[in-house]
Amino acid sequence: MKYYRNDKDETVYKMGMGDAFTSGFAIALCHGNSIEECVKFGNEVSSRVSGGKGSQTGLPRISDFLS
């Protein structure tokens, strides 16, 4: 089992982080990524959500990852 953690110092709000992880994981899985890549992407989405107040403020769009 591998462990991936991507905590940032600027965590403002933790609400919605689990949901954001799950949605990021699912999106990556639907795009045919490995489980390892899905976990990493889920963590990245989750950490971006933690940067804003509220569960949707920091929720990224797929275009944020393509640039």
Side-chain angles (χ1 to χ4, degrees):
M1 175 179 241
K2 294 184 179 181
Y3 181 76
Y4 295 101
R5 194 70 188 234
N6 193 14
D7 290 338
K8 295 185 177 179
D9 292 336
E10 60 267 4
T11 298
V12 174
Y13 206 64
K14 294 185 177 183
M15 180 176 249
M17 287 180 70
D19 293 336
F21 172 83
T22 302
S23 63
F25 183 96
I27 293 262
L29 188 63
C30 287
H31 284 271
N33 291 285
S34 68
I35 297 296
E36 185 175 332
E37 290 300 315
C38 293
V39 170
K40 288 179 181 179
F41 190 71
N43 279 340
E44 182 61 31
V45 173
S46 178
S47 69
R48 289 186 186 206
V49 165
S50 71
K53 183 146 180 142
S55 58
Q56 294 183 355
T57 305
L59 197 60
R61 298 186 180 277
I62 197 72
S63 60
D64 295 336
F65 295 98
L66 299 176
S67 55

